């Protein structure tokens, strides 16, 4: 056993270890199993994810750091790990038929999905800049490959290259920011950074570092003006990966954002970075501006999109803006509102993408709005599910999406950011226009060419059922989720060895 | 018990939505009606308990929204105000369900079940809206009825106008919801409660914001913005006339009797809060009376039978808001209640006409239907007399009560504009009687015009203001001339000239019941001045005050009593005078209509020619749709299609994609192009973002 480690460290790292072992198992099975058994791989992957979920049970209610203080096992990490595992499982479930249609070899696909999940888990658990960065890299590299995995498809390849080049660039910015923080404090540990940094340290260097961190993470969460890659990549990537990217990668990046800023730089939220127009400001001001611009640009650009994946990409940009509102509010209530929003967003977004996956069939790519035409006539169940997802994304009660918005905007008003809430509500009013456009297409049907019915695979049907049930259930009875998120948000600032608020 | 009321229609929705397409029409339609009747019975029993017990009944189902130490329950509450509403929604709702059995009989089994499932779902949401004990629960109903309205307006979604109208209704309502949500959040942040009683208590504990613009004024103004969306008031009324694309029973239920009154109900529900924001009340009254007048003038020249009724609804809702603004909450709700009877009746009557004429909706192509459709004619006439305000029909009592309260109340914020408001109200009253009887005379009296499609254009119909020649038959460019189903499918067995068929029993019975209702519904609100006892006001008033028990449990909340609306006893003489005036006005309006549209049609065309500009202005509805399009819709569209990001989006990405397309098969070249073309630009934009933030930081 390496020095500084104990057996309990491995006990708490069990979910990550299960995922790692499972990933290797999938690779091995891919080689060992005959071609005809390919389909088994998806079930093995789901089983691995479920196993990791079981291994997560001991972490519940814990609040400690392990592995030489590099990884935290707290409510915050557990919340996000649950989210990642759910998202990964649903992604895998909606994949098999899509992969067959696109002629993608499933072995490395599932391997990379598990690797990306592993990276996300360290992004949520890491309390050291190095851990966070390695988690981010693990996830990002997996996604670069997954985006371009449809080899003969130019859209897919182009998206991968773009994502890779821009991702590398943004990681450079992030790493630069991290290195300045290290230079100022002599440590990469968030606790040390939080306790040793005081306002005025390093002169302009500290605000400069914060700015680089905002830009680097802003790229990952696709906040305007760092969002340019998102529509292209979302459109080009295989649809299940688009779903996973817009949910998992985004949530993981938000987890990292919360770790670095709320746990690592708590003293600089409202002030301490200098003054602008006579007002002291902190990193909250950066996110304030990002939130406003992100929501507005995302929603306005989504209004006229004709491609569903592209439309959902802009919609996802806008949602990042709403989540940022919770972070600007900053209080435990704001952070827990952001967590609630992320979880709810995961279900409705994955559900919407599951419908798009369903539309992919032989000879039909199925990602244009007009491909939805007549869906209600041929697949009423899927159309009603999509209606609920759209209403939820638009924030209509009693769906879960309303809950998320209610808490985020409520937290903002509570913290005194009334105008931010006003802009948010205005944006969500605008957004409904394009969500309803999708609904309108589903309900229109040309009688002359009754679009042929096509089957829904049981796995995709399962995804639709789960996401639909959760979107409705979390709207009607959000209490458990809310309590979970609140406990998690509270644990963010209170890891004992971190010793900070 | 209470939860049964919305749950019964919901059960009907679930059954019809999932297995409806396999049921016969008798079963699916019968089921939908049955659950509504059952809901009405439960509502009646509940109402009786409230009336006899004299206090509110409450039922908490579970904790819905947890918020730390504060919990918002999913709770339903029925008090006198809610009692009136649930009786209206279930009672008139049930009648309209029955009517729909006959009206929708041409639809296929699946469509029929879909229609009734939407209708049941609507009723369920409407009841949640009315029964909700706090803002979030009301908001579920609020959004739910909006959704159902959207689905039902676009029921014939294959037709583009119907789909567009549905979308317009949804989008316009979202603007209103923006106000509602913000108002709600603002109240939540400052009062830390969203329960209606809690809000009333908290508001009562503060001094009225007479000369200041405070929290309560801001919150109520935002809530009122929500009300203007749902209840079709200036500036958000534009969706309601277009909503007439939906089936006529839907117009009767949702766009006349129930949903559109939700805004009025919401203000009445928060009477104490609104009473503490006199500035808002003045705005409410002003908007209400302006809407009443504006819609009344538009209604005077429209030629589509349903659009006339739609503008009439907008106008009558304006009256209700006038009452709210005057603090005469009971009078407003009284008018809401009587209006539900006669406006539902008028819409259903117009539906019977459209049904008989195979989808014809243009008044200019009607006429002389009196003989052919006796049941429709007499019931419709009853409704018209009621809305015109002729005593002793219901509309007279409620409208008169509002006008009387407007005339006699105290000054608003020091400015006594009441006589002016009253005057506008009276003018609108004249307009109401005129346009309603114009409709009656054009549709039912005079010569028959509907069975002469090849008739030459009569010279007197060549109105210079009309944008298109009023040829019977073709669809007019600005108005939908045919009801969407009936135009297509019904033509085969009607429209044979002589034998038009009157409403079948399933349609006739609701018409007759509503006609009786329109006559007698007003008797519960006969004012003291003419030896009545105005029982509805006595019954409703507790809902508009802080309940004593609730106040007693809150020791810190001193009762700042809302000044009660002046008791009219000593004003008997003045009240009688005003009554005489409004009765006279009603008859004057009918007389004008009789002169222009019954005795002397040519005179009305001469008037139209004489005031051609005004006529065109009214015919085009003051060009409000066009103004909104130019001022709001187009700029947003422009911003979305040619904004900065879109420039990058289209110019560069499409450029790159097209470039890829050029190098067919050469994947590597495509990739190289992607690398050298757009990615650099993207990286540059990323970098630019960094530089901008840095620049801002250094420059500040």
């Amino acid at each position: 056993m390496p020095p500084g480690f104990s057996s309990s460290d491995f006990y708490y790292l069990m979910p990550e270890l299960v995922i790692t072992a499972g990933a290797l198992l999938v690779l091995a099975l891919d080689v060992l199993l005959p071609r005809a058994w390919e389909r088994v791989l998806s079930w093995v992957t789901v089983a691995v994810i479920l196993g990791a979920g079981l291994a997560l049970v001991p972490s519940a209610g814990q609040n400690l750091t392990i592995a030489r203080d590099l990884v935290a096992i707290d409510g915050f990490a557990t919340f996000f790990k649950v989210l990642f595992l759910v998202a990964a499982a649903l992604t895998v479930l909606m994949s098999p038929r899509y992969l067959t249609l696109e002629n993608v070899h499933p072995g490395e696909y599932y391997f990379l999905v598990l690797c990306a999940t592993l990276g996300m888990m360290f992004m949520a658990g890491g309390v050291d800049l190095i851990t966070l960065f390695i988690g981010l890299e693990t996830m990002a590299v997996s996604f670069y490959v997954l985006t371009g995995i449809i080899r003969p498809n130019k859209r897919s390849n182009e998206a991968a290259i773009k994502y890779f080049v821009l991702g590398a660039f943004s990681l450079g910015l992030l790493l630069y920011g991290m290195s300045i923080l290290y230079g100022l404090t002599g440590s990469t540990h968030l606790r040390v950074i939080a306790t040793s940094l005081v306002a005025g340290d390093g002169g302009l260097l500290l605000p400069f570092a914060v700015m680089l961190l905002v830009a680097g993470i802003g790229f990952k969460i696709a906040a305007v003006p760092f969002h340019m890659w998102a529509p292209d990549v979302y459109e080009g990537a295989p649809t299940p990966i688009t779903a996973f990217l817009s949910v998992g990668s985004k949530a993981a990046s938000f987890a990292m954002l919360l770790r670095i800023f709320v746990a690592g730089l708590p003293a600089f939220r409202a002030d301490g970075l200098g003054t602008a127009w006579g007002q002291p400001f902190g990193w909250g001001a950066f996110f304030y501006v990002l939130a406003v611009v992100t929501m507005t640009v995302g929603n306005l650009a989504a209004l006229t999109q004709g491609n569903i994946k592209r439309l959902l990409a802009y919609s996802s940009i806008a949602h990042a803006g709403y989540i940022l509102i919770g972070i600007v509010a900053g209080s435990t209530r704001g952070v827990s509102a952001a967590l609630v929003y992320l979880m709810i967003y995961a279900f409705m977004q994955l559900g919407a993408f599951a419908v798009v996956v369903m539309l992919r069939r032989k000879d039909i790519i199925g990602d244009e709005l007009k491909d939805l035409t007549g869906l209600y006539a041929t697949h009423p169940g899927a159309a009603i599910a999509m209606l609920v997802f759209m209403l939820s994304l638009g924030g209509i009660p009693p769906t879960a999406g309303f809950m998320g918005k209610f808490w985020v905007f409520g937290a903002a008003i509570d913290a005194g950011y009334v105008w931010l809430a006003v802009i948010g509500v205005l944006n969500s009013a605008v957004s409904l226009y394009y969500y309803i456009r999708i609904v309108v297409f589903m309900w229109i049907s040309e009688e002359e060419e009754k679009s042929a019915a096509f089957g829904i695979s049981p796995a995709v049907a399962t995804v639709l059922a789960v996401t639909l049930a959760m979107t409705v259930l979390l709207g009607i009875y959000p209490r458990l989720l809310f309590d979970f998120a609140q406990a998690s948000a509270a644990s963010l600032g209170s890891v004992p060895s971190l010793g900070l608020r | 018990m209470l939860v049964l009321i919305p749950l019964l229609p919901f059960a009907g929705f679930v059954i019809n939505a999932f297995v409806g397409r396999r049921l016969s029409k008798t079963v699916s339609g019968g089921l939908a009606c049955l659950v509504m009747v059952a809901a009405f019975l439960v509502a009646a029993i509940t109402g009786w308990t409230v009336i006899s017990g004299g206090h509110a009944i409450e039922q908490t189902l579970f904790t819905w929204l947890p918020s730390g130490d504060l919990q918002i329950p999913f709770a339903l509450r029925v008090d006198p105000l809610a009692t009136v509403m649930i009786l209206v929604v279930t009672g008139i709702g049930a009648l309209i369900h029955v009517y729909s059995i006959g009206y929708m009989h041409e639809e296929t089994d699946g469509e029929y079940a879909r229609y009734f499932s939407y209708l049941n779902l609507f009723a369920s949401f409407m009841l949640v809206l009315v029964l909700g004990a706090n803002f979030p629960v009301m908001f579920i109903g609020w959004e739910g009825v909006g959704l159902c309205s959207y689905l039902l307006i676009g029921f014939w979604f294959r037709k583009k106008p119907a789909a567009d109208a549905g979308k317009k209704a949804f989008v316009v309502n979202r603007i209103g919801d923006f106000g509602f949500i913000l108002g709600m959040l603002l109240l939540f942040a400052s009062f830390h409660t969203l329960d209606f009683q809690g809000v009333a208590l908290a508001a009562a504990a503060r001094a009225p914001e007479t000369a200041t613009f405070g929290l309560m004024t801001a919150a109520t103004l935002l809530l009122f913005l929500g009300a203007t969306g749902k209840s079709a008031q200036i500036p958000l009324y534009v969706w309601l006339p277009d909503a007439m694309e939906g089936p006529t029973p839907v117009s009767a239920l949702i766009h006349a009797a129930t949903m559109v009154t939700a805004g009025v109900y919401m203000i009445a529900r928060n009477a104490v809060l609104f009473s503490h924001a006199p500035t808002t009340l003045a705005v409410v009254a002003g908007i209400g009376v302006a809407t009443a007048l504006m819609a009344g003038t538009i209604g005077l020249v429209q030629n589509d039978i349903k659009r006339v009724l739609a503008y009439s609804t907008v106008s009558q809702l304006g009256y209700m808001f006038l009452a709210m603004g005057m603090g005469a909450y009971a009078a407003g709700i009284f008018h809401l209640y009587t209006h539900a009877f006669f406006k539902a009746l008028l819409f259903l009557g117009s539906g019977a006409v459209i049904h008989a004429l195979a989808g014809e909706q243009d008044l200019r192509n009607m006429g002389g239907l009196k003989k052919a459709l006796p049941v429709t004619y007499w019931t419709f006439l009853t409704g018209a007399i009621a809305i015109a305000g002729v005593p002793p029909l219901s509309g007279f009592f409620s409208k008169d009560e509002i006008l009387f309260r407007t005339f006699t109340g105290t000054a608003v914020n020091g400015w006594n504009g009441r006589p002016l408001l009253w005057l506008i109200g009276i003018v609108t009253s004249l307009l109401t009687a005129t346009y309603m009887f114009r409709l009656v005379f054009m549709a039912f009296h005079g010569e028959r015009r509907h069975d002469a499609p090849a008739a030459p254009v009569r010279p007197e119909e060549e109105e210079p203001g009309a944008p298109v020649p009023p040829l019977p038959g073709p669809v007019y460019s600005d108005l939908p001339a045919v009801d969407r189903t009936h135009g297509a499918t019904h033509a085969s067995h009607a429209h044979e000239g002589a034998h038009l068929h009157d409403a079948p029993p399933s349609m006739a019975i609701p018409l007759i019941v509503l006609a009786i209702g329109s006559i007698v519904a007003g008797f519960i609100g006969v004012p003291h001045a003419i030896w009545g006892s105005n029982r509805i006001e006595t019954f409703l008033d507790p809902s508009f005050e802080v309940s004593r028990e609730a106040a007693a449990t809150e020791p810190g909340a001193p009762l700042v009593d809302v000044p009660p609306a002046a008791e009219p006893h000593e004003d008997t003489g003045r009240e009688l005078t005003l009554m005489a005036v409004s009765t006279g006005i009603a008859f004057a309006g009918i007389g004008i209509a009789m002169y222009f549209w019954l005795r002397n049609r040519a005179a009305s065309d001469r008037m139209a020619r004489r005031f051609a500009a005004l006529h065109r202005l009214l015919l085009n509805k003051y060009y409000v749709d066009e103004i909104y399009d130019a001022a709001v819709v187009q700029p947003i569209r422009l911003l979305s299609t040619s904004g900065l990001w879109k420039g990058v989006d289209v110019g560069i990405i499409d450029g790159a994609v097209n470039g890829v397309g050029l190098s067919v098969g050469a994947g590597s070249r495509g990739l190289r192009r992607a690398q050298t073309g757009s990615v650099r630009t993207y990286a540059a934009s990323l970098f630019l973002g960094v530089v901008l933030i840095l620049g801002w930081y250094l420059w500040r």
Side-chain angles (χ1 to χ4, degrees):
Chain A
M1 199 155 294
F5 273 69
S6 70
S7 55
S8 73
D9 284 3
F10 289 103
Y11 178 59
Y12 287 119
L13 273 179
M14 201 53 88
E16 284 86 348
L17 293 173
V18 169
I19 294 282
T20 314
L24 295 174
L25 176 73
V26 168
L27 264 194
L29 284 178
D30 184 38
V31 179
L32 296 175
L33 287 177
R35 260 288 133 99
W37 287 37
E38 250 177 29
R39 294 224 135 191
V40 176
L41 288 179
S42 65
W43 296 110
V44 172
T45 314
V46 172
V48 167
I49 295 169
L50 288 181
L54 278 180
L56 200 56
V57 172
S59 305
Q62 297 297 335
N63 203 357
L64 44 95
T65 57
I66 57 164
R68 290 191 192 159
D69 225 13
L70 290 177
V71 176
I73 300 296
D74 54 4
F76 181 80
T78 310
F79 183 92
F80 274 100
K81 284 176 190 171
V82 170
L83 198 166
F84 302 147
L85 292 176
V86 168
L90 293 175
T91 304
V92 170
L93 279 177
M94 64 172 100
S95 297
R97 210 173 64 160
Y98 189 88
L99 297 184
T100 314
L101 283 169
E102 295 287 2
N103 234 336
V104 172
H105 191 64
E108 61 252 30
Y109 177 88
Y110 293 126
F111 168 75
L112 287 167
V113 167
L114 289 175
C115 284
T117 314
L118 182 69
M120 292 173 194
M121 291 166 90
F122 279 108
M123 287 167 79
V127 284
D128 189 284
L129 292 179
I130 301 293
T131 322
L132 288 173
F133 186 77
I134 293 191
L136 176 61
E137 272 294 71
T138 312
M139 177 190 83
V141 171
S142 309
F143 271 122
Y144 300 150
V145 183
L146 281 170
T147 303
I149 205 160
I150 313 179
R151 257 170 255 148
N153 184 322
K154 275 190 227 72
R155 273 208 303 184
S156 176
N157 285 321
E158 189 182 323
I161 293 286
K162 278 179 188 164
Y163 191 27
F164 172 66
V165 173
L166 295 169
F169 186 67
S170 78
L171 278 171
L173 296 179
L174 187 70
L175 204 55
Y176 193 9
M178 287 179 169
S179 67
I180 295 176
L181 277 191
Y182 172 71
L184 287 174
T185 60
S187 170
T188 54
H189 200 286
L190 291 174
R191 179 203 339 145
V192 181
I193 293 171
T195 45
S196 59
L197 265 186
V198 285
D201 267 1
L204 272 180
L205 267 184
L206 180 58
F208 183 56
V210 166
M211 198 199 71
L212 290 170
L213 291 171
V214 168
I217 298 177
F219 175 86
K220 281 284 150 199
I221 59 173
V224 180
F226 314 109
H227 70 292
M228 293 293 192
W229 60 279
D232 282 11
V233 172
Y234 282 22
E235 192 185 345
T239 312
I241 293 307
T242 308
F244 196 35
L245 197 59
S246 71
V247 170
S249 168
K250 185 163 290 200
S253 308
F254 267 107
M256 188 170 81
L257 186 158
L258 287 165
R259 283 279 187 210
I260 292 182
F261 286 99
V262 178
L265 298 165
F268 301 95
R269 187 179 74 78
D271 50 32
L273 293 183
T275 52
W277 295 291
Q279 292 283 319
F281 74 95
W283 49 261
F286 286 125
F287 288 125
Y288 191 113
V289 176
L290 279 196
V292 171
V293 183
T294 303
M295 287 185 293
T296 312
V297 170
N299 279 322
L300 287 179
L303 287 178
T304 46
Q305 297 301 323
N307 180 293
I308 308 171
K309 283 164 83 177
R310 218 174 166 78
L311 189 154
L312 287 174
Y314 280 112
S315 137
S316 139
I317 290 171
H319 282 277
Y322 302 133
I323 298 166
L324 281 174
I325 293 180
I327 290 162
V328 173
S331 52
T332 305
R333 197 173 153 197
V335 173
S336 63
L339 296 194
V340 166
Y341 202 108
L342 277 168
M343 187 67 92
I344 286 168
Y345 166 78
F347 285 111
M348 55 200 190
Q349 183 86 351
L350 285 169
F353 272 112
V355 174
V356 183
V357 168
M358 195 194 85
L359 293 172
R360 175 75 175 96
R361 48 210 193 264
K362 226 172 170 50
D363 309 328
I364 297 174
I365 295 177
D367 62 358
E368 294 295 323
L369 269 180
K370 59 177 168 26
D371 293 327
L372 283 169
T373 307
L375 190 68
Y376 179 75
T378 53
H379 299 83
I384 287 172
M386 190 67 165
L387 168 70
V388 173
F389 298 137
M390 289 303 119
L391 293 178
S392 185
L393 285 167
I396 303 283
T399 59
F402 166 69
M403 250 353 111
K405 290 214 167 75
F406 186 81
W407 289 118
V408 166
F409 298 150
I413 288 185
D414 207 45
Y417 295 98
V418 177
W419 282 109
L420 194 55
V422 170
I423 296 167
V425 175
L426 195 59
N427 261 294
S428 68
V430 170
S431 75
L432 212 78
Y433 180 82
Y434 58 82
Y435 294 126
I436 283 303
R437 255 180 84 208
I438 291 186
V439 175
V440 167
F441 272 94
M442 293 193 299
W443 256 257
I444 292 174
S445 74
E446 285 95 45
E447 282 183 286
E448 57 271 27
E449 51 138 349
K450 196 91 167 163
S451 49
F454 47 90
I456 308 179
S457 77
V460 173
T462 313
V463 175
L464 279 180
V466 170
T467 48
L468 178 64
M470 292 306 282
T471 305
V472 173
L473 209 65
L474 290 178
I476 293 171
Y477 196 75
R479 175 148 197 200
L480 296 176
L481 171 64
F482 190 81
D483 289 346
F484 187 21
Q486 202 160 39
S488 307
S491 82
L492 177 61
S494 71
V495 181
S497 58
L498 285 172
L500 47 94
R501 160 74 182 78
Chain B
M1 177 76 174
L2 219 49
V3 73
L4 268 184
I5 302 174
L7 214 53
L8 279 165
F10 191 77
F13 155 72
V14 169
I15 295 172
N16 265 334
F18 286 94
V19 294
R21 61 180 70 201
R22 262 166 264 145
L23 302 175
S24 72
K25 285 181 192 173
T26 326
V27 177
S28 55
L31 176 84
C33 296
L34 197 70
V35 292
M36 282 308 289
V37 172
F40 175 66
L41 291 179
V42 179
I45 296 168
T46 313
W48 179 249
T49 324
V50 172
I51 292 166
S52 56
H55 58 79
I57 309 170
E58 201 171 322
Q59 185 179 8
T60 301
L61 296 173
F62 56 89
T63 303
W64 182 38
L65 294 171
S67 163
D69 47 339
L70 188 97
Q71 314 283 339
I72 296 173
F74 193 101
L76 304 177
R77 184 185 296 138
V78 58
D79 64 347
L81 175 59
T83 304
V84 173
M85 293 300 291
I86 56 173
L87 288 174
V88 167
V89 173
T90 54
I92 293 186
L95 287 173
I96 293 172
H97 274 69
V98 172
Y99 178 93
S100 297
I101 288 183
Y103 192 82
M104 300 300 286
H105 70 93
E106 292 159 14
E107 301 292 327
T108 63
D109 285 0
E111 295 289 278
Y112 199 72
R114 184 164 71 93
Y115 172 83
F116 276 106
S117 69
Y118 290 166
L119 218 54
N120 272 169
L121 185 65
F122 166 79
S124 179
F125 275 127
M126 188 69 207
L127 289 163
V128 168
L129 189 160
V130 169
L131 287 171
N134 53 50
F135 276 101
V137 176
M138 178 191 246
F139 193 58
I140 292 184
W142 188 272
E143 289 291 358
V145 291
L147 172 68
C148 294
S149 155
Y150 163 70
L151 290 172
L152 281 164
I153 295 168
F155 183 73
W156 288 308
F157 50 77
R158 290 189 190 94
K159 302 292 172 194
K160 198 168 178 318
D164 283 350
K167 204 161 71 181
K168 186 173 180 181
F170 206 89
V171 170
V172 171
N173 267 297
R174 280 306 278 181
I175 301 172
D177 296 342
F178 162 73
F180 192 103
I181 298 175
L182 281 181
M184 183 163 81
L185 287 172
L186 198 58
L187 286 176
F188 186 57
S190 29
F191 288 168
H192 293 285
T193 179
L194 281 176
D195 187 276
F196 290 124
Q197 279 182 359
V199 168
L201 267 179
R206 297 174 176 227
E209 289 168 355
T210 318
T212 52
F213 189 93
L215 163 83
M216 289 188 287
T217 310
T220 47
L221 279 176
L222 286 168
L223 289 174
F224 177 58
L225 178 63
T228 58
K230 193 110 300 186
S231 293
Q233 297 294 292
I234 293 173
L236 299 181
Y237 70 93
V238 288
W239 64 272
L240 187 60
D242 286 11
M244 297 301 129
E245 291 289 339
T248 305
V250 170
S251 311
L253 177 62
I254 299 184
H255 306 122
T258 55
M259 184 188 84
V260 290
T261 62
V264 181
Y265 170 75
M266 188 259 288
I267 292 181
R269 179 87 290 169
N270 294 292
V272 177
L273 179 68
F274 275 80
S275 295
H276 279 71
T279 314
T280 307
L281 284 186
V283 171
V284 172
I287 293 278
V289 84
T291 310
L293 182 66
M294 181 179 185
T297 52
I298 298 175
L300 205 53
V301 300
Q302 296 300 309
N303 288 318
D304 180 303
I305 185 167
K306 284 181 74 183
R307 286 202 176 226
V308 175
L309 292 176
Y311 281 107
S312 160
T313 305
V314 175
S315 175
Q316 296 300 309
L317 288 165
Y319 269 119
M320 297 175 209
F321 278 101
L322 172 64
M324 296 291 134
M326 290 296 121
Y329 303 107
I333 295 296
F334 183 33
H335 194 55
L336 186 162
Y337 152 83
T338 57
H339 176 257
F341 282 96
F342 52 70
K343 191 48 68 63
L345 170 63
L346 290 168
F347 264 113
L348 295 186
S350 78
V353 170
I354 295 166
H355 194 76
L357 293 184
E360 181 59 70
Q361 278 180 232
D362 197 310
L363 283 170
R364 289 168 296 189
N365 300 333
M366 295 179 184
L369 298 174
K370 183 179 167 185
K371 287 248 167 50
L373 311 172
V375 176
T376 309
Y377 172 68
W378 288 107
T379 51
F380 197 94
L381 187 65
T382 315
I385 298 174
I387 195 177
V390 175
L393 274 73
S394 58
F396 166 75
F397 292 111
S398 54
K399 198 189 289 184
D400 191 62
E401 184 73 13
I402 293 175
L403 290 174
F404 173 63
R405 286 304 171 87
T406 305
F407 195 78
T408 57
T410 47
V412 184
N413 269 5
W415 177 75
N416 195 348
R418 286 182 177 240
L420 179 65
L421 295 181
W422 177 85
L423 193 66
I424 300 175
I426 278 290
V427 171
T428 308
S429 186
L430 179 72
L431 289 171
T432 309
T434 310
Y435 66 66
M436 200 46 71
F437 274 85
R438 166 182 177 262
L439 200 160
V440 170
F441 295 138
M442 280 180 84
F444 293 98
H445 292 257
E447 64 193 280
R448 242 159 119 165
R449 299 185 293 275
H450 49 85
D451 52 353
V457 182
R458 277 174 295 281
E460 72 268 22
E461 283 197 344
E462 277 178 321
E463 302 157 40
V468 279
L471 266 172
V475 178
Y476 295 92
S477 63
D478 64 328
L479 352 128
V482 286
D483 195 329
R484 299 292 156 193
T485 43
H486 291 80
T489 50
H490 212 258
S492 52
H493 67 95
H495 217 280
E496 289 304 319
H499 26 273
L500 297 169
H501 57 89
D502 203 356
S506 64
M507 288 162 69
I509 293 168
L511 286 177
I512 294 166
V513 174
L514 285 172
I516 296 170
S518 302
I519 297 170
V520 302
F523 294 143
I524 59 167
V526 179
H528 297 282
I530 45 173
W531 314 285
S533 53
N534 208 345
R535 291 174 61 168
I536 188 156
E537 191 176 313
T538 328
F539 174 61
L540 280 173
D541 270 345
S543 288
F544 307 129
E545 297 159 5
V546 177
S547 76
R548 304 277 153 184
E549 312 99 89
T553 57
E554 200 94 346
L559 264 182
V560 182
D561 255 321
V562 188
E567 263 311 305
H569 293 298
E570 71 277 15
D571 281 338
T572 307
R574 190 149 52 144
E575 186 165 6
L576 285 175
T577 317
L578 291 177
M579 262 182 208
V581 170
S582 47
T583 310
I585 285 289
F587 281 113
I590 298 172
I592 293 171
M594 205 179 273
Y595 174 75
F596 279 112
W597 286 283
L598 192 62
R599 300 258 178 280
N600 195 355
R601 287 292 308 274
S604 74
D605 299 318
R606 268 204 307 282
M607 287 292 280
R609 256 195 301 277
R610 169 90 53 86
F611 301 102
L614 179 67
H615 187 249
R616 200 176 311 123
L617 183 69
L618 293 180
L619 204 62
N620 289 296
K621 303 155 273 184
Y622 297 99
Y623 297 98
V624 170
D625 277 324
E626 287 78 1
I627 293 168
Y628 281 6
D629 189 63
V632 183
V633 180
Q634 292 308 330
I636 290 182
R637 184 164 296 160
L638 203 68
L639 211 59
S640 176
T641 49
S642 58
L644 178 66
W645 56 90
K646 186 70 186 180
V648 174
D649 212 58
V650 174
I652 294 157
I653 294 156
D654 286 6
V657 171
N658 293 343
V660 171
L662 284 175
S663 53
V664 195
S668 61
R669 270 165 64 195
L671 290 183
R672 196 162 59 239
R673 187 171 276 272
Q675 254 175 310
T676 56
S678 59
V679 177
R680 260 201 215 154
T681 321
Y682 288 10
S685 99
L686 202 67
F687 187 68
L688 198 69
V690 175
V691 170
L692 277 179
I693 299 181
L694 186 68
W696 166 75
Y697 179 77
L698 293 174
W699 170 74
R700 89 212 131 73

